[in-house]
Amino acid sequence: MGNVDLSIIIPSKNNQTTIKNIIQNIAEELRDTEVEIIVIDMNSSDNTVIAALEEIKKNDLRGCVIQSGGSSVTSALNTGIFKSDGRYITFVYSGGLYKNYIPAYLKTAADTNADVVFAVPSKQSAAKLRAPIDVKDVSSERIDSMLLTAALIYSKVSFDFSAAMLKRDFLLDHHIRFFEEFSFGYVEAFIYNVLMYDPYIACSEIPLRRDTEQNAVIDTITENINCYQRIDAICKVFDSIRLKRRDNKTLIELFEYQKIPSVVMGVADILRKEGFSASAIKKTMKQKGYNKLLKISLRTSPELRKKIIRWKLMSK
């Protein structure tokens, strides 16, 4: 498969009706674009595979269905990346699809040659993330990856990974992949692994409109004890940052004193909502060594600082 503008990777399991609708919507939206559909089937017991193949053929699309057995979503996503042939890739989940955003993203990618294309909530948000303007630099409208990373860490901005487009060669050149050992927090880790390598980021100004008939699903695991994996995943990203971006003191401190502590507290919040006592959570976190990750510095936001102090004083 050559000269493909975009590879659309769809991990799927037992979604024979949904997968047909998704492929049909993509076909209608991208009739004049060279795309390929890669459905990664995770051991479906219904007719998902046949339905996907029939819909790809019916709409005269490039595409295939790859059966990955009972593998995890992360393994399926990695398989899609390595099997794809498009200049850019995007991920579509069977639980949901945004409407008519892909053509605008492809135009932005063609205009900027960006490594990453996504949409931010508002023009004001985008303006705050722009790189310093240099009249000699034709890329002065790019989003500054460090500013975006800091904004994400402090929860000042967000973007939906199921509506992002990435240059495939950028991922392969930097050996960026999903952590297959984790079933929780892998999307968040993947995003920071991408940003770590200072990609050229462009922002499409198209407003995102979700298909109201469906709800997107990314981390499909129920929020339970496996949420501890989110801490392990973000710590693994931090290890890479300290190794590969050891020259970036600011990035290291943002992770050590804001991102990682906020993830630990986020996990504690999830477990408390599920009925676990503070003492039980603290005991487990101490056993796993997570209590040592609750560090505070000038990089720590006032809200998080107060939350950590209250948590340390809490007994039940």
Side-chain angles (χ1 to χ4, degrees):
M1 297 182 184
N3 302 318
V4 179
D5 296 323
L6 177 68
S7 296
I8 300 174
I9 299 168
I10 310 173
S12 182
K13 182 175 182 178
N14 296 333
N15 293 300
Q16 64 182 72
T17 301
T18 305
I19 199 71
K20 290 177 65 175
N21 294 337
I22 288 175
I23 294 173
Q24 183 178 5
N25 290 342
I26 291 171
E28 292 175 356
E29 185 176 331
L30 300 171
R31 292 195 182 280
D32 299 322
T33 306
E34 286 293 332
V35 300
E36 65 173 352
I37 307 292
I38 301 179
V39 177
I40 310 296
D41 181 70
M42 297 177 289
N43 200 26
S44 292
S45 58
D46 63 3
N47 291 322
T48 294
V49 173
I50 295 174
L53 287 171
E54 288 180 345
E55 199 65 28
I56 289 172
K57 183 178 180 180
K58 174 183 173 182
N59 289 279
D60 195 27
L61 294 168
R62 297 176 187 242
C64 63
V65 176
I66 299 173
Q67 292 181 285
S68 60
S71 65
S72 64
V73 175
T74 47
S75 177
L77 294 171
N78 284 334
T79 298
I81 292 173
F82 292 112
K83 294 291 186 180
S84 63
D85 197 44
R87 185 167 179 242
Y88 286 89
I89 62 173
T90 191
F91 303 97
V92 172
Y93 294 84
S94 298
L97 176 67
Y98 284 103
K99 295 180 179 180
N100 302 317
Y101 74 96
I102 295 178
Y105 274 32
L106 285 171
K107 183 179 185 305
T108 299
D111 292 342
T112 62
N113 194 32
D115 298 310
V116 180
V117 179
F118 72 102
V120 292
S122 68
K123 291 184 179 180
Q124 289 78 11
S125 298
K128 293 177 181 179
L129 300 174
R130 299 291 186 195
I133 296 177
D134 183 344
V135 294
K136 297 180 182 179
D137 182 8
V138 296
S139 65
S140 60
E141 287 299 302
R142 69 184 293 182
I143 299 294
D144 186 288
S145 62
M146 188 62 197
L147 290 177
L148 176 58
T149 300
L152 287 171
I153 287 175
Y154 285 112
S155 301
K156 293 181 178 179
V157 71
S158 63
F159 68 88
D160 193 334
F161 180 72
S162 62
M165 189 176 293
L166 304 102
K167 187 181 288 185
R168 181 175 179 270
D169 283 349
F170 180 85
L171 299 180
L172 297 182
D173 289 345
H174 294 290
H175 308 287
I176 300 170
R177 52 183 286 276
F178 291 90
F179 294 150
E180 295 188 13
E181 63 269 40
F182 304 123
S183 59
F184 197 94
Y186 58 86
V187 169
E188 179 180 41
F190 183 86
I191 290 170
Y192 284 111
N193 274 332
V194 170
L195 294 176
M196 184 198 321
Y197 291 98
D198 191 26
Y200 184 121
I201 306 170
C203 174
S204 174
E205 295 184 358
I206 184 173
L208 292 176
R209 296 183 298 112
R210 187 178 291 284
D211 185 340
T212 56
E213 296 178 0
Q214 302 175 51
N215 294 313
V217 177
I218 295 180
D219 277 312
T220 56
I221 199 77
T222 302
E223 290 185 343
N224 52 27
I225 198 66
N226 287 330
C227 65
Y228 281 121
Q229 292 185 3
R230 186 185 174 207
I231 302 175
D232 296 330
I234 208 66
C235 284
K236 188 170 181 178
V237 174
F238 184 50
D239 289 340
S240 295
I241 289 173
R242 287 188 294 183
L243 176 64
K244 300 171 183 177
R245 297 301 306 275
R246 53 183 175 272
D247 59 320
N248 194 327
K249 182 180 178 182
T250 298
L251 181 60
I252 291 173
E253 290 180 350
L254 285 174
F255 261 78
E256 187 169 10
Y257 298 108
Q258 177 66 29
K259 183 58 189 178
I260 292 177
S262 70
V263 169
V264 174
M265 293 309 304
V267 168
D269 288 343
I270 290 173
L271 294 173
R272 292 204 74 198
K273 288 179 181 178
E274 293 186 349
F276 291 90
S277 66
S279 58
I281 299 169
K282 285 183 176 182
K283 181 179 179 181
T284 301
M285 286 192 170
K286 184 176 181 180
Q287 291 173 341
K288 293 177 176 289
Y290 297 148
N291 59 313
K292 297 178 181 178
L293 301 176
L294 293 175
K295 300 179 181 179
I296 294 174
S297 78
L298 293 177
R299 297 285 184 188
T300 310
S301 69
E303 296 80 10
L304 180 59
R305 182 190 300 268
K306 292 177 184 177
K307 192 171 186 178
I308 291 173
I309 292 173
R310 286 198 300 266
W311 173 253
K312 289 183 175 181
L313 294 174
M314 191 181 300
S315 58
K316 297 182 180 179

Short mmCIF file of all heavy atoms in Angstrom, two decimals, residues 197-254:
data_model
loop_
_atom_site.label_atom_id
_atom_site.label_comp_id
_atom_site.label_asym_id
_atom_site.label_seq_id
_atom_site.Cartn_x
_atom_site.Cartn_y
_atom_site.Cartn_z
N TYR A 197 9.65 14.31 22.92
CA TYR A 197 10.59 14.45 21.81
C TYR A 197 10.37 15.75 21.01
O TYR A 197 10.82 15.87 19.87
CB TYR A 197 10.49 13.24 20.88
CG TYR A 197 11.03 11.98 21.53
CD1 TYR A 197 10.17 11.06 22.13
CD2 TYR A 197 12.39 11.73 21.58
CE1 TYR A 197 10.65 9.91 22.74
CE2 TYR A 197 12.89 10.59 22.19
CZ TYR A 197 12.01 9.69 22.76
OH TYR A 197 12.50 8.55 23.38
N ASP A 198 9.68 16.70 21.61
CA ASP A 198 9.49 18.04 21.02
C ASP A 198 8.97 17.96 19.59
O ASP A 198 9.61 18.46 18.66
CB ASP A 198 10.82 18.81 21.06
CG ASP A 198 10.62 20.28 20.73
OD1 ASP A 198 9.52 20.80 20.94
OD2 ASP A 198 11.59 20.91 20.23
N PRO A 199 7.80 17.38 19.40
CA PRO A 199 7.24 17.28 18.05
C PRO A 199 6.78 18.64 17.54
O PRO A 199 6.51 19.56 18.33
CB PRO A 199 6.04 16.35 18.23
CG PRO A 199 5.61 16.61 19.65
CD PRO A 199 6.88 16.81 20.42
N TYR A 200 6.71 18.77 16.22
CA TYR A 200 6.08 19.95 15.63
C TYR A 200 4.57 19.73 15.78
O TYR A 200 4.01 18.80 15.22
CB TYR A 200 6.46 20.08 14.16
CG TYR A 200 5.93 21.34 13.50
CD1 TYR A 200 6.80 22.26 12.92
CD2 TYR A 200 4.57 21.62 13.45
CE1 TYR A 200 6.32 23.42 12.31
CE2 TYR A 200 4.08 22.77 12.86
CZ TYR A 200 4.95 23.66 12.29
OH TYR A 200 4.47 24.81 11.70
N ILE A 201 3.91 20.60 16.55
CA ILE A 201 2.49 20.44 16.85
C ILE A 201 1.70 21.55 16.19
O ILE A 201 2.03 22.73 16.33
CB ILE A 201 2.24 20.47 18.36
CG1 ILE A 201 3.11 19.44 19.08
CG2 ILE A 201 0.76 20.23 18.67
CD1 ILE A 201 3.09 19.57 20.59
N ALA A 202 0.67 21.18 15.47
CA ALA A 202 -0.22 22.16 14.85
C ALA A 202 -1.63 21.96 15.41
O ALA A 202 -2.05 20.84 15.70
CB ALA A 202 -0.23 22.00 13.34
N CYS A 203 -2.33 23.06 15.51
CA CYS A 203 -3.67 23.02 16.07
C CYS A 203 -4.70 23.33 15.00
O CYS A 203 -4.63 24.37 14.34
CB CYS A 203 -3.78 24.02 17.21
SG CYS A 203 -5.42 24.17 17.88
N SER A 204 -5.62 22.42 14.79
CA SER A 204 -6.73 22.68 13.88
C SER A 204 -7.81 23.45 14.63
O SER A 204 -8.14 23.14 15.78
CB SER A 204 -7.30 21.36 13.36
OG SER A 204 -8.45 21.60 12.59
N GLU A 205 -8.37 24.46 13.97
CA GLU A 205 -9.37 25.28 14.65
C GLU A 205 -10.80 24.76 14.47
O GLU A 205 -11.76 25.40 14.89
CB GLU A 205 -9.28 26.72 14.13
CG GLU A 205 -7.95 27.40 14.48
CD GLU A 205 -7.91 28.85 14.06
OE1 GLU A 205 -8.90 29.32 13.46
OE2 GLU A 205 -6.91 29.51 14.32
N ILE A 206 -10.94 23.59 13.86
CA ILE A 206 -12.27 23.03 13.68
C ILE A 206 -12.86 22.63 15.03
O ILE A 206 -12.18 22.02 15.87
CB ILE A 206 -12.23 21.80 12.72
CG1 ILE A 206 -13.65 21.30 12.46
CG2 ILE A 206 -11.35 20.70 13.31
CD1 ILE A 206 -13.71 20.21 11.41
N PRO A 207 -14.11 22.99 15.30
CA PRO A 207 -14.73 22.55 16.56
C PRO A 207 -15.07 21.06 16.48
O PRO A 207 -15.59 20.59 15.47
CB PRO A 207 -16.00 23.41 16.64
CG PRO A 207 -16.31 23.77 15.22
CD PRO A 207 -14.98 23.88 14.52
N LEU A 208 -14.77 20.33 17.52
CA LEU A 208 -15.04 18.91 17.53
C LEU A 208 -16.48 18.65 17.94
O LEU A 208 -16.97 19.20 18.92
CB LEU A 208 -14.10 18.20 18.50
CG LEU A 208 -12.62 18.17 18.10
CD1 LEU A 208 -11.79 17.53 19.21
CD2 LEU A 208 -12.42 17.43 16.79
N ARG A 209 -17.15 17.81 17.17
CA ARG A 209 -18.53 17.43 17.46
C ARG A 209 -18.61 15.91 17.50
O ARG A 209 -18.41 15.25 16.51
CB ARG A 209 -19.49 17.98 16.39
CG ARG A 209 -19.54 19.50 16.34
CD ARG A 209 -20.55 19.98 15.31
NE ARG A 209 -20.20 19.55 13.94
CZ ARG A 209 -20.89 18.67 13.24
NH1 ARG A 209 -21.95 18.09 13.75
NH2 ARG A 209 -20.50 18.35 12.02
N ARG A 210 -18.92 15.39 18.69
CA ARG A 210 -18.98 13.95 18.84
C ARG A 210 -20.31 13.40 18.34
O ARG A 210 -21.34 14.07 18.43
CB ARG A 210 -18.79 13.55 20.31
CG ARG A 210 -18.66 12.04 20.50
CD ARG A 210 -18.43 11.70 21.95
NE ARG A 210 -17.13 12.11 22.42
CZ ARG A 210 -15.99 11.49 22.14
NH1 ARG A 210 -15.99 10.45 21.32
NH2 ARG A 210 -14.85 11.92 22.62
N ASP A 211 -20.26 12.20 17.82
CA ASP A 211 -21.48 11.48 17.46
C ASP A 211 -22.23 11.20 18.76
O ASP A 211 -21.78 10.40 19.59
CB ASP A 211 -21.12 10.17 16.75
CG ASP A 211 -22.34 9.42 16.23
OD1 ASP A 211 -23.45 9.71 16.72
OD2 ASP A 211 -22.18 8.58 15.35
N THR A 212 -23.37 11.84 18.94
CA THR A 212 -24.09 11.74 20.20
C THR A 212 -24.69 10.36 20.43
O THR A 212 -25.13 10.05 21.54
CB THR A 212 -25.23 12.78 20.26
OG1 THR A 212 -26.08 12.60 19.12
CG2 THR A 212 -24.67 14.18 20.24
N GLU A 213 -24.68 9.53 19.41
CA GLU A 213 -25.25 8.20 19.57
C GLU A 213 -24.28 7.23 20.24
O GLU A 213 -24.64 6.14 20.61
CB GLU A 213 -25.66 7.63 18.20
CG GLU A 213 -26.76 8.43 17.52
CD GLU A 213 -27.10 7.87 16.16
OE1 GLU A 213 -26.46 6.87 15.77
OE2 GLU A 213 -27.99 8.42 15.49
N GLN A 214 -23.00 7.68 20.37
CA GLN A 214 -22.01 6.78 20.92
C GLN A 214 -21.15 7.54 21.92
O GLN A 214 -21.05 8.75 21.89
CB GLN A 214 -21.11 6.22 19.81
CG GLN A 214 -21.88 5.49 18.73
CD GLN A 214 -20.98 5.06 17.59
OE1 GLN A 214 -19.95 4.45 17.82
NE2 GLN A 214 -21.35 5.38 16.39
N ASN A 215 -20.50 6.82 22.78
CA ASN A 215 -19.59 7.40 23.76
C ASN A 215 -18.22 6.80 23.56
O ASN A 215 -18.06 5.59 23.43
CB ASN A 215 -20.06 7.10 25.19
CG ASN A 215 -21.37 7.78 25.50
OD1 ASN A 215 -21.54 8.95 25.21
ND2 ASN A 215 -22.31 7.03 26.07
N ALA A 216 -17.20 7.65 23.53
CA ALA A 216 -15.84 7.18 23.30
C ALA A 216 -15.34 6.37 24.48
O ALA A 216 -15.65 6.64 25.63
CB ALA A 216 -14.91 8.35 23.06
N VAL A 217 -14.55 5.33 24.17
CA VAL A 217 -13.94 4.52 25.21
C VAL A 217 -12.46 4.40 24.87
O VAL A 217 -12.10 3.95 23.79
CB VAL A 217 -14.56 3.11 25.28
CG1 VAL A 217 -13.83 2.28 26.31
CG2 VAL A 217 -16.05 3.19 25.61
N ILE A 218 -11.60 4.79 25.80
CA ILE A 218 -10.17 4.65 25.58
C ILE A 218 -9.61 3.65 26.58
O ILE A 218 -9.30 2.52 26.25
CB ILE A 218 -9.46 6.01 25.68
CG1 ILE A 218 -9.95 6.92 24.56
CG2 ILE A 218 -7.95 5.83 25.56
CD1 ILE A 218 -9.32 8.28 24.56
N ASP A 219 -9.49 4.06 27.87
CA ASP A 219 -9.10 3.09 28.88
C ASP A 219 -10.33 2.27 29.21
O ASP A 219 -11.20 2.71 29.96
CB ASP A 219 -8.59 3.81 30.13
CG ASP A 219 -7.12 4.20 30.01
OD1 ASP A 219 -6.33 3.33 29.61
OD2 ASP A 219 -6.78 5.35 30.30
N THR A 220 -10.43 1.08 28.66
CA THR A 220 -11.65 0.31 28.77
C THR A 220 -11.76 -0.47 30.08
O THR A 220 -12.80 -1.01 30.38
CB THR A 220 -11.75 -0.69 27.60
OG1 THR A 220 -10.57 -1.51 27.59
CG2 THR A 220 -11.85 0.04 26.28
N ILE A 221 -10.68 -0.52 30.84
CA ILE A 221 -10.72 -1.28 32.08
C ILE A 221 -11.54 -0.53 33.12
O ILE A 221 -11.53 0.69 33.17
CB ILE A 221 -9.29 -1.54 32.61
CG1 ILE A 221 -9.27 -2.68 33.62
CG2 ILE A 221 -8.70 -0.29 33.22
CD1 ILE A 221 -9.37 -4.03 33.02
N THR A 222 -12.29 -1.24 33.94
CA THR A 222 -13.05 -0.60 35.01
C THR A 222 -12.09 0.04 36.00
O THR A 222 -11.02 -0.50 36.28
CB THR A 222 -13.91 -1.65 35.73
OG1 THR A 222 -14.78 -2.26 34.78
CG2 THR A 222 -14.75 -0.99 36.82
N GLU A 223 -12.47 1.19 36.54
CA GLU A 223 -11.61 1.87 37.51
C GLU A 223 -11.62 1.09 38.81
O GLU A 223 -12.44 1.28 39.69
CB GLU A 223 -12.08 3.30 37.71
CG GLU A 223 -11.85 4.18 36.50
CD GLU A 223 -12.22 5.63 36.77
OE1 GLU A 223 -12.93 5.87 37.76
OE2 GLU A 223 -11.79 6.49 36.01
N ASN A 224 -10.65 0.21 38.97
CA ASN A 224 -10.56 -0.58 40.18
C ASN A 224 -9.12 -0.62 40.64
O ASN A 224 -8.37 0.32 40.40
CB ASN A 224 -11.10 -2.00 39.94
CG ASN A 224 -10.45 -2.65 38.73
OD1 ASN A 224 -9.32 -2.33 38.37
ND2 ASN A 224 -11.16 -3.57 38.11
N ILE A 225 -8.72 -1.68 41.28
CA ILE A 225 -7.37 -1.75 41.84
C ILE A 225 -6.30 -1.62 40.76
O ILE A 225 -5.17 -1.24 41.03
CB ILE A 225 -7.20 -3.07 42.63
CG1 ILE A 225 -6.01 -2.99 43.59
CG2 ILE A 225 -7.09 -4.25 41.69
CD1 ILE A 225 -6.19 -2.00 44.70
N ASN A 226 -6.63 -1.93 39.50
CA ASN A 226 -5.67 -1.79 38.42
C ASN A 226 -5.27 -0.34 38.17
O ASN A 226 -4.34 -0.08 37.42
CB ASN A 226 -6.22 -2.40 37.13
CG ASN A 226 -6.24 -3.92 37.17
OD1 ASN A 226 -5.42 -4.53 37.83
ND2 ASN A 226 -7.18 -4.52 36.48
N CYS A 227 -5.98 0.59 38.79
CA CYS A 227 -5.62 1.99 38.57
C CYS A 227 -4.23 2.31 39.11
O CYS A 227 -3.65 3.33 38.73
CB CYS A 227 -6.67 2.93 39.17
SG CYS A 227 -6.80 2.86 40.96
N TYR A 228 -3.69 1.45 39.97
CA TYR A 228 -2.30 1.65 40.39
C TYR A 228 -1.35 1.63 39.20
O TYR A 228 -0.26 2.20 39.25
CB TYR A 228 -1.89 0.56 41.39
CG TYR A 228 -2.38 0.78 42.80
CD1 TYR A 228 -3.19 -0.17 43.43
CD2 TYR A 228 -2.04 1.94 43.51
CE1 TYR A 228 -3.65 0.03 44.72
CE2 TYR A 228 -2.49 2.14 44.81
CZ TYR A 228 -3.30 1.18 45.41
OH TYR A 228 -3.76 1.38 46.69
N GLN A 229 -1.78 0.96 38.12
CA GLN A 229 -0.94 0.90 36.93
C GLN A 229 -0.71 2.29 36.33
O GLN A 229 0.29 2.52 35.65
CB GLN A 229 -1.57 -0.02 35.88
CG GLN A 229 -1.57 -1.48 36.27
CD GLN A 229 -2.09 -2.36 35.16
OE1 GLN A 229 -2.41 -1.90 34.06
NE2 GLN A 229 -2.19 -3.65 35.42
N ARG A 230 -1.65 3.21 36.58
CA ARG A 230 -1.47 4.57 36.07
C ARG A 230 -0.22 5.20 36.69
O ARG A 230 0.52 5.93 36.02
CB ARG A 230 -2.70 5.43 36.38
CG ARG A 230 -2.61 6.81 35.75
CD ARG A 230 -3.76 7.70 36.15
NE ARG A 230 -3.55 9.05 35.63
CZ ARG A 230 -4.04 10.15 36.17
NH1 ARG A 230 -4.80 10.08 37.25
NH2 ARG A 230 -3.79 11.33 35.65
N ILE A 231 0.02 4.93 37.96
CA ILE A 231 1.22 5.44 38.62
C ILE A 231 2.47 4.82 37.99
O ILE A 231 3.45 5.51 37.68
CB ILE A 231 1.19 5.14 40.13
CG1 ILE A 231 -0.06 5.76 40.77
CG2 ILE A 231 2.45 5.68 40.80
CD1 ILE A 231 -0.24 5.41 42.24
N ASP A 232 2.44 3.51 37.80
CA ASP A 232 3.60 2.82 37.22
C ASP A 232 3.89 3.33 35.80
O ASP A 232 5.05 3.51 35.42
CB ASP A 232 3.35 1.31 37.18
CG ASP A 232 3.23 0.71 38.57
OD1 ASP A 232 3.86 1.25 39.50
OD2 ASP A 232 2.50 -0.29 38.73
N ALA A 233 2.82 3.57 35.03
CA ALA A 233 3.00 4.03 33.65
C ALA A 233 3.63 5.42 33.61
O ALA A 233 4.56 5.67 32.83
CB ALA A 233 1.66 4.03 32.91
N ILE A 234 3.14 6.34 34.44
CA ILE A 234 3.68 7.70 34.41
C ILE A 234 5.09 7.73 34.98
O ILE A 234 5.92 8.55 34.57
CB ILE A 234 2.73 8.68 35.16
CG1 ILE A 234 2.87 10.09 34.57
CG2 ILE A 234 2.97 8.68 36.63
CD1 ILE A 234 2.39 10.23 33.15
N CYS A 235 5.39 6.83 35.94
CA CYS A 235 6.76 6.75 36.45
C CYS A 235 7.72 6.22 35.38
O CYS A 235 8.89 6.63 35.33
CB CYS A 235 6.81 5.85 37.69
SG CYS A 235 6.17 6.63 39.19
N LYS A 236 7.22 5.33 34.54
CA LYS A 236 8.05 4.83 33.45
C LYS A 236 8.36 5.94 32.45
O LYS A 236 9.48 6.04 31.93
CB LYS A 236 7.36 3.66 32.74
CG LYS A 236 8.23 2.95 31.72
CD LYS A 236 7.59 1.67 31.23
CE LYS A 236 8.49 0.95 30.23
NZ LYS A 236 7.93 -0.33 29.76
N VAL A 237 7.38 6.81 32.20
CA VAL A 237 7.63 7.98 31.35
C VAL A 237 8.69 8.87 32.00
O VAL A 237 9.60 9.37 31.33
CB VAL A 237 6.33 8.78 31.13
CG1 VAL A 237 6.63 10.07 30.36
CG2 VAL A 237 5.31 7.95 30.38
N PHE A 238 8.57 9.08 33.30
CA PHE A 238 9.51 9.93 34.03
C PHE A 238 10.94 9.37 33.93
O PHE A 238 11.91 10.12 33.77
CB PHE A 238 9.08 10.04 35.49
CG PHE A 238 9.94 10.97 36.31
CD1 PHE A 238 10.25 12.25 35.86
CD2 PHE A 238 10.43 10.56 37.54
CE1 PHE A 238 11.03 13.10 36.63
CE2 PHE A 238 11.22 11.41 38.30
CZ PHE A 238 11.52 12.68 37.85
N ASP A 239 11.07 8.05 34.01
CA ASP A 239 12.39 7.43 33.86
C ASP A 239 13.00 7.77 32.49
O ASP A 239 14.19 8.06 32.38
CB ASP A 239 12.30 5.92 34.03
CG ASP A 239 12.01 5.50 35.46
OD1 ASP A 239 12.26 6.31 36.37
OD2 ASP A 239 11.54 4.36 35.66
N SER A 240 12.16 7.73 31.46
CA SER A 240 12.63 8.07 30.11
C SER A 240 13.02 9.53 30.01
O SER A 240 14.03 9.88 29.37
CB SER A 240 11.55 7.75 29.07
OG SER A 240 11.28 6.37 29.01
N ILE A 241 12.24 10.39 30.65
CA ILE A 241 12.55 11.83 30.62
C ILE A 241 13.89 12.10 31.29
O ILE A 241 14.72 12.86 30.78
CB ILE A 241 11.43 12.63 31.31
CG1 ILE A 241 10.18 12.62 30.44
CG2 ILE A 241 11.88 14.07 31.60
CD1 ILE A 241 8.97 13.25 31.09
N ARG A 242 14.13 11.47 32.43
CA ARG A 242 15.40 11.68 33.14
C ARG A 242 16.59 11.15 32.35
O ARG A 242 17.71 11.67 32.47
CB ARG A 242 15.36 11.01 34.51
CG ARG A 242 14.48 11.76 35.51
CD ARG A 242 14.59 11.19 36.90
NE ARG A 242 14.06 9.83 36.98
CZ ARG A 242 13.99 9.13 38.11
NH1 ARG A 242 14.42 9.67 39.24
NH2 ARG A 242 13.49 7.91 38.11
N LEU A 243 16.34 10.16 31.51
CA LEU A 243 17.41 9.60 30.69
C LEU A 243 17.62 10.38 29.40
O LEU A 243 18.76 10.74 29.06
CB LEU A 243 17.10 8.13 30.37
CG LEU A 243 18.08 7.41 29.44
CD1 LEU A 243 19.46 7.30 30.09
CD2 LEU A 243 17.55 6.03 29.06
N LYS A 244 16.52 10.67 28.71
CA LYS A 244 16.62 11.26 27.38
C LYS A 244 16.49 12.78 27.35
O LYS A 244 16.87 13.42 26.37
CB LYS A 244 15.55 10.63 26.47
CG LYS A 244 15.73 9.12 26.33
CD LYS A 244 14.57 8.47 25.61
CE LYS A 244 14.72 6.95 25.55
NZ LYS A 244 13.58 6.28 24.92
N ARG A 245 15.91 13.37 28.40
CA ARG A 245 15.78 14.82 28.46
C ARG A 245 16.39 15.35 29.76
O ARG A 245 15.88 16.29 30.37
CB ARG A 245 14.30 15.21 28.38
CG ARG A 245 13.60 14.84 27.08
CD ARG A 245 14.25 15.46 25.85
NE ARG A 245 14.38 16.90 25.96
CZ ARG A 245 13.42 17.76 25.64
NH1 ARG A 245 12.27 17.32 25.19
NH2 ARG A 245 13.63 19.06 25.74
N ARG A 246 17.50 14.76 30.16
CA ARG A 246 18.13 15.15 31.42
C ARG A 246 18.62 16.60 31.41
O ARG A 246 18.90 17.17 32.46
CB ARG A 246 19.28 14.21 31.76
CG ARG A 246 20.32 14.03 30.68
CD ARG A 246 21.38 13.02 31.12
NE ARG A 246 22.34 12.72 30.06
CZ ARG A 246 22.16 11.77 29.16
NH1 ARG A 246 21.07 11.03 29.18
NH2 ARG A 246 23.08 11.54 28.24
N ASP A 247 18.72 17.18 30.20
CA ASP A 247 19.11 18.58 30.08
C ASP A 247 17.96 19.53 30.38
O ASP A 247 18.16 20.73 30.58
CB ASP A 247 19.62 18.86 28.66
CG ASP A 247 18.57 18.55 27.59
OD1 ASP A 247 17.88 17.53 27.75
OD2 ASP A 247 18.43 19.33 26.64
N ASN A 248 16.74 19.00 30.43
CA ASN A 248 15.55 19.84 30.63
C ASN A 248 15.12 19.76 32.10
O ASN A 248 14.25 18.99 32.48
CB ASN A 248 14.42 19.39 29.71
CG ASN A 248 13.31 20.40 29.62
OD1 ASN A 248 13.01 21.09 30.58
ND2 ASN A 248 12.66 20.47 28.47
N LYS A 249 15.73 20.60 32.92
CA LYS A 249 15.46 20.60 34.36
C LYS A 249 14.00 20.93 34.64
O LYS A 249 13.39 20.35 35.55
CB LYS A 249 16.38 21.60 35.05
CG LYS A 249 16.21 21.64 36.56
CD LYS A 249 17.14 22.65 37.20
CE LYS A 249 16.92 22.72 38.71
NZ LYS A 249 17.80 23.75 39.33
N THR A 250 13.43 21.86 33.87
CA THR A 250 12.04 22.26 34.09
C THR A 250 11.09 21.09 33.89
O THR A 250 10.20 20.85 34.71
CB THR A 250 11.65 23.40 33.13
OG1 THR A 250 12.48 24.54 33.39
CG2 THR A 250 10.19 23.79 33.32
N LEU A 251 11.28 20.35 32.81
CA LEU A 251 10.42 19.20 32.53
C LEU A 251 10.53 18.15 33.63
O LEU A 251 9.51 17.60 34.08
CB LEU A 251 10.79 18.59 31.18
CG LEU A 251 9.96 17.38 30.72
CD1 LEU A 251 8.49 17.75 30.59
CD2 LEU A 251 10.49 16.85 29.39
N ILE A 252 11.74 17.89 34.07
CA ILE A 252 11.96 16.90 35.13
C ILE A 252 11.24 17.32 36.41
O ILE A 252 10.56 16.52 37.06
CB ILE A 252 13.46 16.71 35.38
CG1 ILE A 252 14.11 16.01 34.18
CG2 ILE A 252 13.71 15.91 36.66
CD1 ILE A 252 15.62 15.93 34.24
N GLU A 253 11.36 18.60 36.76
CA GLU A 253 10.73 19.09 37.99
C GLU A 253 9.20 19.10 37.88
O GLU A 253 8.51 18.82 38.86
CB GLU A 253 11.24 20.48 38.32
CG GLU A 253 12.71 20.48 38.77
CD GLU A 253 13.20 21.88 39.11
OE1 GLU A 253 12.47 22.86 38.82
OE2 GLU A 253 14.31 21.98 39.66
N LEU A 254 8.67 19.41 36.70
CA LEU A 254 7.22 19.39 36.51
C LEU A 254 6.67 17.99 36.76
O LEU A 254 5.59 17.83 37.35
CB LEU A 254 6.87 19.85 35.09
CG LEU A 254 6.97 21.35 34.82
CD1 LEU A 254 6.74 21.64 33.34
CD2 LEU A 254 5.96 22.13 35.65
#
